Amino acid sequence: MGEGTKRNDLNLRMLDLASFFVGIAEEGGENRGRIIEMFQRVHGLPMGQSYCLDFIQYIANETAKAHGGVAASVKTESVLHYWDNISSSHKRIFPAPGLVVCWKFDGTRGHCGIVKDASNPSHIVTIEANTKEPGV
């Protein structure tokens, strides 16, 4: 199996694991809860911070541990810092299921998720954490 095939397989396994957490909600305050704090422990940084990237990195780390891969990671809670410092070999122009998607807002804020469906080029479906909608 080639490197691209292995990476694609791990990305789809990331999507499977991310799907398990759909519906998890914050408990006991903003950016709080037993499961959310499990995501936040990825970096050992203070609890209560935004956790969309912590969720992604938790999913990537757990998938890599379970399936013998290597998670592409940058130790940060900043989506923009993550994007700027992730290896260019892990960046793609077109979304595909299991890949991480990053958004940039106002030049200073970011958000990320995992692509669930990209069959319609003008509308992708994602699994995200730390959104205003209930659940991951």
Side-chain angles (χ1 to χ4, degrees):
M1 170 177 356
E3 177 62 31
T5 304
K6 182 173 177 124
R7 183 178 298 154
N8 186 49
D9 184 52
L10 287 173
N11 287 116
L12 294 177
R13 290 175 189 264
M14 279 179 51
L15 178 57
D16 288 342
L17 181 56
S19 297
F20 176 79
F21 291 102
V22 170
I24 299 299
E26 294 177 353
E27 310 165 338
E30 187 174 344
N31 299 331
R32 297 283 184 183
R34 185 176 50 86
I35 301 296
I36 291 158
E37 290 171 4
M38 177 180 71
F39 302 148
Q40 292 169 326
R41 284 188 200 96
V42 166
H43 300 112
L45 298 172
M47 298 295 114
Q49 303 294 318
S50 297
Y51 57 93
C52 64
L53 184 56
D54 294 334
F55 170 68
I56 298 297
Q57 292 189 335
Y58 173 85
I59 297 298
N61 291 343
E62 293 301 309
T63 301
K65 279 194 275 187
H67 301 288
V70 176
S73 184
V74 174
K75 187 173 181 175
T76 185
E77 286 192 1
S78 165
V79 173
L80 301 182
H81 184 258
Y82 173 83
W83 179 258
D84 288 343
N85 291 281
I86 200 77
S87 168
S88 62
S89 68
H90 292 286
K91 294 180 180 179
R92 302 286 180 273
I93 294 173
F94 300 104
L99 296 180
V100 175
V101 60
C102 297
W103 293 273
K104 183 177 183 178
F105 305 104
D106 304 328
T108 61
R109 299 178 303 125
H111 184 68
C112 60
I114 295 178
V115 177
K116 181 175 180 180
D117 181 11
S119 58
N120 179 344
S122 64
H123 179 83
I124 64 171
V125 178
T126 61
I127 297 174
E128 304 165 40
N130 202 31
T131 65
K132 296 295 181 199
E133 297 299 318
V136 168

